[in-house]
Every structure is written in structure tokens, then in C-alpha cells.
Amino acid sequence: MTPPPARRRRTRTDGQAPAHNLLRRGSVRRSQAITTYGVGSLIAVDQESFVVSGLDGADEHWSAEESPRIHERRLARLLGVQYFRLPPASGDDSKDGVRVRRFPVMHSCSECDELRRHRDFTPPPGRSICGTCEADLVPSRFVIACEAGHLDEFPYWHWVHRAAGKSATTAGQCGGVLKLRSSGRSSSLRSIVVSCTCGVPEVSMEGSFRKSALKDLGLRCRGTRPWLGTSVPAQSCGLTARTLQRGSSAVWQPVQKSALSIPPWSDGRADPLAEHWDELRKLSSREDIEMCLKFAFKGEIPVPVDEVMALLDAEREEDPTGDEAPSFDHRYHALRHKEYERLRTGNDEREHSRDEQFICETPLGDPAALHPLGITGPMLVKKLREVRALKAFTRLADPDSPTEGKEAALSDSKLAWLPAMEVRGEGVFLRLDADRLGAWSRTTAVAARAERMRTAHQRVMEQRAADPTRVPPSPATPRMVLLHTLAHVLINEWSLDAGYPAAALRERLYADDDMAGMLVYTATSDSAGSLGGLVAQGEPDRLARTLRSAVRRAAWCSADPLCVESEASGTGGTNLAACHACVMLPETSCEHNNILLDRALLVGTPDDPGVGFFAEVLAD
């Protein structure tokens, strides 16, 4: 979706324009700067195309001077930073915003059909028109990218001269001018024709999207990173790049991590200590901690020393036992465990302060109404705060493929912060009865269905990994697939019954050997945020009716019997009985990109109704 145009500002011509006098190209919402138009992504504004600049660099980097800091200690520790910043605002009352650079540089003229670098058309300052024809310039529709995250121009010269046997070392030395035109015969690539005035035969773009198209030309990825600017050298790569449409979703996919703010970090009292945690963690005695704080804050300690020691103890609980360094996976697992325990216990007994960002209470009704359904421990999360940070991004990555080793960095150097958004909302937490879940998951038919998905998912991950030996095990277990599918049907039911759009609800799964819960919550920056409507759905009597209705609705799909009897569906067979007509959600609502779903584990199959966890509900 093209962002709306914004008022443009006058620029200086001496080459020393201050940040607040740069030409304003457009505007996007702050949340889009970490979800849609983040660092390294391509953004279309009017008839022009740009790449969003990195967080740092010698020129045209993000300016964070106006961006407020936000703190979430547990997530910051996981990602190796001290704090987070909101993306710069882009309104007219802001002095600065997110910087962009023109990309792709190759443009064509709609009148003379010449294909050149943008500056070679000698356009007037601040405009993107041909200096000769005064016609609008059109950015190249095609770019190339590799799985390491590099991005480059499409090699038009090599493509048109491939029959002449020209090598990469002679690129551009034929003395001719490239031209690009459309024959108009069809909308296919065959109608897009590239030629050169040196006399070589013209060729179409047909075949340029083949995986080996650039490899056949003898070209390898040059490791260019245009979002970091020209002052940052290219990385040695050597991978085979692939041709992509400039607007393709495969050009940029964000890698986001999120965390809920839970006690003792959710009242904001520890925020002033963010830049000093690394030093404080090295200390153990009260005297040393007090001396460090006095030195750091020049005698005025913002947090009592005893409270600082309690915070340090809470943080050390997430460290692994032994001398091994905590890995990213361990810390992320510990982060989820702490959230699960806090959601289970709530903070009813705590006297809520005005700054408390997490309020989780037991419902007023009798939870016995949920026991026949195998549900226990419902909790009403009346107030929550989630911080979502942009860790990195990928290119050419499938949603269910591992991204380790393929993540592209947001900056060329190590920074103390990452861009993030904080969103506030409400939610309902519930758990599955451990005894009933254990007996059900040990059933032969249930284990077989889960194993079929786990094997398919593991195979897909290994096929798409650079190093198959480092692929983590698939999370597909009976309880994980059950919780995931149940969350989807519950979100669909609430979107019909409670009036929430499905895209405004999100799932957060807690599925492990000692966890079996899920949180469905609203965490959005728009008007569908925290209004109290979702918490009202968590009262046991109403929740029981909703669950029964959701399960009965899931028992039938408009694609049945093909859907429920499917032996494999989704990417590489990573789903079974699941399709867009029954349990799939908008991808912004799903933690696992709509994979590892099986409606049969909820309601059973025609041949084996007992495989469903809620089979008794349908029998009532």
C-alpha cells in the first residue's frame, strides 16, 4: 500500500543541508516502521521508490533525537541492547523522520525509453523527470536479492548482452545506451523488452525469474547493502542472487521479538537503571551496588538499593545453571516461562500502583463451568503492555523456515538500542487440564497426527536451512498443535460474537513439557485496543458458552470433506485439517504464520471422532 504523499520542504543547494531541511517524501505510521517499512525495506512514494536507511551510518541514517526511549528489561536483555526507541515521527511538526535513499537507482523514461541511472537523466533538483523529455521517470520494476539479505540492481547490461558473450568485467563498455520498452502484446514478462544501441539483439525479461537465471550469466551476489549507504563497504557473499519484483513481499520480511511487561518490571521503576544494568549485574554485595548507584547518579539514587537487589535476583533466575553462557533460545524460553507463571498466579494480592502496566485477576464467576471442557485456570488480564522490537530482517525467507544465519542487520555497528513499539491492551488467559491433556496426547492416533506434522515441518526447515545440522527441533507436539488451533477458533468466535476484528486479536502460546496455556489479547495501537470488551468474555460461564460454540463451528468447514480428510496441507504438509475457510487467521494474529494447525485434534475425524480433545462437547 503506497503511503500518502506529504508536504515537501525546500532544500539547500550547497550540499550541507541540515537534517530538518531534507526533502520530505511521504509519511507512514510509527508502527509501520517496524512492521511494513522497516530498515532495508522498499517504499513507494508517488512515482518514486526508496529503501529505508539503517539505524546508523555516515549519512542519511535514522535520527533518534526526537524518538522517546521505551524500556522492557527482559526483552532488551534477550536482544543484547540497553533500551528501545520509538521510530522517529514523520508529521509536519517534526524536525526529522526516518531517512530513505533512492533505490533502485536504474530508471527508465516513459518517452525516450532510455534505461539509465537516475542521475544520468540530469533531472531538476527535487524532481524525478527526464532532463531531456521532461517525462516522469519510472523506477526499475526488478531488483535482485540473496538469502543473506543483500539487495542490488538488476543486471540489465549482462542480461541483454548474454548472447554476445560479454563478461562481467566488460559491463557498460560497449558504448551503447540501454533501452526498455513494453510491446503491449500482453502483461507477461515476454512483453518487457530490453535492448542496447550497440546493436546486440533485443531480449525480453522472460526467464529472468528462474532460480539459476543469474548464475547462468556467471553472476554472484556482490554483497551490497544500499540501506547502509555508500560509505559502508559491500560484504563478500558469493551466493546466487534471485530476481524479484520491487513490490514483492519476499524483498523484505521483519524479524520481530516481543515481550509482555510483567512484575517486577511492569511499574517502570527500573527504567532509569537501563544503561547501568551490565555493571550492576557484576556486583553481588549491597555495599558495592549502593556505591555503583551513587557514582552513576551522583548521589541521588532513583531506586532503593533493596529493590535493585530484588530486581537483580529476579533477572538471575532466568540464567542457566552451570557455567555455560546463556543462549538466545534459553533466554527466550525463560522469558516465556516467567510470563506463564505470572499469568497463572496473577497479581490479585498486589496493591496496584498508578504506573502498574500488568493487572491480571481471577474471574468473579465459578470456574467449575469450564471443567467439563478440560479448561482450567482462566485469568482476566485487565491491563497489559507488550513491547515489539525489530531485531533484523530477512529476504527470500519462507515464513516457516529458520532464519538463523540469514538475518540482515539494521546497522553496520553495534548499537545500544533497537526500534520498537509499545502497545497496550487486555486479554484472557486459560490453561488446559494437565491430566486430561496428558491422557489425550498419549493416544496413538493423536500422537501419529502430530508426528506427521512434526516430520513434515522438520523436513521443510532442513531443506531451507544453510546448515541442516543446526536446525532446531520442530515445536510440533500434540499440546502445541491443540493450543494453536484452539486459539485460532477462539479468535474467530470472538470476532463474530464480541465484535472485534480478527486482525485486532493476537495469540500468545505457552506450550512446553510444563506449560499448556494460551493468551488471547488485544494489543494494537488503533481504536480496537483496550475497551474492556475482551475481558468481559473471560468470565467462566460466558467463556464456556463461547468455547462450545467455537468447537461446534470448527466441526464443519465449507471445504469438507476435503479439508477434514486431508493427509497434508499448507507449506510442505505442515498442516493437516486446516484451511482459510475454517481455522486460518490473518498472519498478524498468528505466532506461527498459519502452520502447525489441525482442526481434527479439536473435533475428531469422521472415521475417528475420539481423536478430538473436545469430542465430548460435540456428543452433547
Side-chain angles (χ1 to χ4, degrees):
M1 184 175 183
T2 302
R7 177 172 58 86
R8 294 183 173 180
R9 299 187 177 185
R10 298 178 64 87
T11 58
R12 293 169 56 176
T13 58
D14 56 4
Q16 303 295 325
H20 60 275
N21 279 340
L22 290 175
L23 189 65
R24 186 175 296 278
R25 295 292 187 179
S27 63
V28 296
R29 297 193 303 271
R30 266 181 161 162
S31 60
Q32 289 180 304
I34 66 168
T35 57
T36 310
Y37 302 121
V39 171
S41 66
L42 297 185
I43 177 171
V45 181
D46 296 334
Q47 301 298 322
E48 301 177 83
S49 176
F50 304 91
V51 61
V52 179
S53 299
L55 300 182
D56 68 339
D59 56 354
E60 297 184 6
H61 59 284
W62 280 34
S63 176
E65 296 176 359
E66 294 183 345
S67 303
R69 293 188 181 187
I70 57 178
H71 298 276
E72 172 45 54
R73 173 58 193 167
R74 298 166 64 245
L75 184 61
R77 185 184 180 213
L78 175 72
L79 300 179
V81 295
Q82 296 177 0
Y83 56 91
F84 303 98
R85 283 189 183 273
L86 290 174
S90 58
D92 284 342
D93 56 346
S94 172
K95 294 181 180 179
D96 202 3
V98 175
R99 306 291 186 83
V100 296
R101 297 179 173 88
R102 189 178 299 280
F103 188 88
V105 176
M106 296 296 292
H107 284 62
S108 60
C109 175
S110 56
E111 290 290 338
C112 61
D113 294 336
E114 289 189 359
L115 180 65
R116 299 173 177 264
R117 297 173 63 89
H118 184 271
R119 65 188 182 194
D120 294 337
F121 284 100
T122 61
R127 302 188 65 186
S128 183
I129 62 174
C130 178
T132 303
C133 308
E134 297 188 355
D136 290 333
L137 297 178
V138 181
S140 169
R141 285 177 52 186
F142 310 104
V143 296
I144 62 173
C146 77
E147 293 184 354
H150 301 130
L151 186 67
D152 207 348
E153 306 278 346
F154 181 82
Y156 287 102
W157 194 91
H158 298 88
W159 185 252
V160 74
H161 288 85
R162 65 183 188 270
K166 303 290 186 179
S167 66
T169 58
T170 61
Q173 297 182 10
C174 66
V177 177
L178 293 177
K179 289 181 175 290
L180 184 144
R181 64 179 180 84
S182 175
S183 66
R185 296 176 180 175
S186 68
S187 59
S188 66
L189 292 174
R190 182 178 298 179
S191 296
I192 302 175
V193 179
V194 184
S195 61
C196 182
T197 57
C198 71
V200 295
E202 64 179 16
V203 297
S204 73
M205 292 295 295
E206 187 177 24
S208 59
F209 282 75
R210 290 185 295 107
K211 288 186 177 182
S212 61
L214 301 181
K215 183 179 180 180
D216 294 342
L217 295 179
L219 299 178
R220 293 285 183 174
C221 176
R222 301 187 302 167
T224 55
R225 297 174 291 172
W227 64 96
L228 297 181
T230 57
S231 59
V232 178
Q235 293 180 327
S236 59
C237 181
L239 295 176
T240 300
R242 290 183 56 186
T243 305
L244 296 171
Q245 292 269 13
R246 174 165 47 89
S248 169
S249 60
V251 171
W252 189 86
Q253 297 161 336
V255 177
Q256 293 182 339
K257 296 297 178 182
S258 68
L260 301 180
S261 295
I262 60 173
W265 309 95
S266 53
D267 56 9
R269 291 174 58 84
D271 293 352
L273 307 175
E275 298 182 20
H276 307 286
W277 274 113
D278 291 340
E279 291 81 5
L280 291 171
R281 277 184 56 85
K282 300 175 183 178
L283 307 176
S284 56
S285 67
R286 190 183 191 281
E287 293 75 13
D288 292 341
I289 292 174
E290 184 175 8
M291 184 178 298
C292 178
L293 290 172
K294 287 182 177 180
F295 178 78
F297 295 96
K298 300 179 180 180
E300 298 182 3
I301 302 177
V303 183
V305 178
D306 291 337
E307 188 171 336
V308 174
M309 296 184 68
L311 289 170
L312 289 171
D313 290 339
E315 184 173 278
R316 293 187 181 108
E317 290 179 3
E318 300 183 11
D319 292 338
T321 57
D323 298 330
E324 69 274 14
S327 64
F328 180 90
D329 291 337
H330 172 87
R331 284 181 171 172
Y332 194 64
H333 185 75
L335 181 147
R336 285 300 181 100
H337 263 272
K338 287 295 182 181
E339 291 179 3
Y340 181 72
E341 290 302 320
R342 178 54 65 176
L343 288 167
R344 285 187 61 184
T345 58
N347 57 350
D348 293 16
E349 75 286 351
R350 180 170 175 147
E351 183 178 342
H352 304 313
S353 67
R354 182 177 181 181
D355 297 327
E356 179 60 52
Q357 299 165 337
F358 179 85
I359 299 178
C360 180
E361 300 177 350
T362 55
L364 298 177
D366 186 2
L370 293 169
H371 293 170
L373 299 172
I375 304 296
T376 185
M379 299 293 286
L380 307 181
V381 187
K382 296 184 176 180
K383 188 177 181 181
L384 64 83
R385 170 182 179 259
E386 182 189 23
V387 176
R388 303 173 192 162
L390 179 63
K391 176 176 180 274
F393 64 89
T394 63
R395 305 194 196 277
L396 298 173
D398 291 289
D400 54 335
S401 66
T403 57
E404 183 178 357
K406 297 182 182 181
E407 296 178 357
L410 307 182
S411 63
D412 189 47
S413 59
K414 178 69 174 178
L415 296 181
W417 62 278
L418 286 173
M421 287 293 298
E422 59 177 353
V423 288
R424 303 173 189 273
E426 58 181 349
V428 175
F429 174 76
L430 55 87
R431 293 179 289 127
L432 298 179
D433 181 79
D435 295 335
R436 179 171 171 178
L437 177 63
W440 171 82
S441 61
R442 289 190 294 270
T443 305
T444 302
V446 170
R449 292 186 72 89
E451 178 62 21
R452 195 185 312 167
M453 281 186 286
R454 190 203 66 78
T455 302
H457 188 224
Q458 194 73 31
R459 180 175 61 252
V460 169
M461 291 195 299
E462 291 176 355
Q463 289 174 349
R464 296 170 180 172
D467 183 2
T469 61
R470 300 181 61 187
V471 174
S474 170
T477 61
R479 72 171 58 196
M480 184 271 170
V481 177
L482 174 64
L483 282 167
H484 191 198
T485 312
L486 178 61
H488 278 227
V489 300
L490 191 56
I491 289 175
N492 278 330
E493 189 67 22
W494 273 334
S495 70
L496 298 173
D497 184 48
Y500 283 92
L505 301 178
R506 293 170 65 93
E507 66 177 6
R508 197 167 181 88
L509 304 180
Y510 302 90
D512 204 344
D513 294 338
D514 50 356
M515 295 192 300
M518 68 178 185
L519 172 68
V520 176
Y521 64 105
T522 66
T524 176
S525 56
D526 63 14
S527 58
S530 178
L531 299 176
L534 188 59
V535 167
Q537 304 296 320
E539 288 294 336
D541 290 340
R542 178 174 290 183
L543 182 58
R545 291 195 300 269
T546 300
L547 285 168
R548 292 179 184 275
S549 176
V551 170
R552 291 191 178 100
R553 195 183 305 276
W556 183 85
C557 171
S558 60
D560 282 342
L562 295 179
C563 178
V564 73
E565 295 179 356
S566 173
E567 295 293 329
S569 64
T571 304
T574 49
N575 287 336
L576 290 183
C579 69
H580 287 284
C582 51
V583 300
M584 288 189 176
L585 291 176
E587 291 194 359
T588 55
S589 302
C590 179
E591 279 197 309
H592 295 280
N593 298 289
N594 278 323
I595 65 169
L596 305 181
L597 294 166
D598 184 14
R599 183 166 53 96
L601 293 186
L602 291 181
V603 299
T605 65
D607 295 334
D608 189 2
V611 77
F613 185 83
F614 297 99
E616 296 179 2
V617 174
L618 300 176
D620 292 345

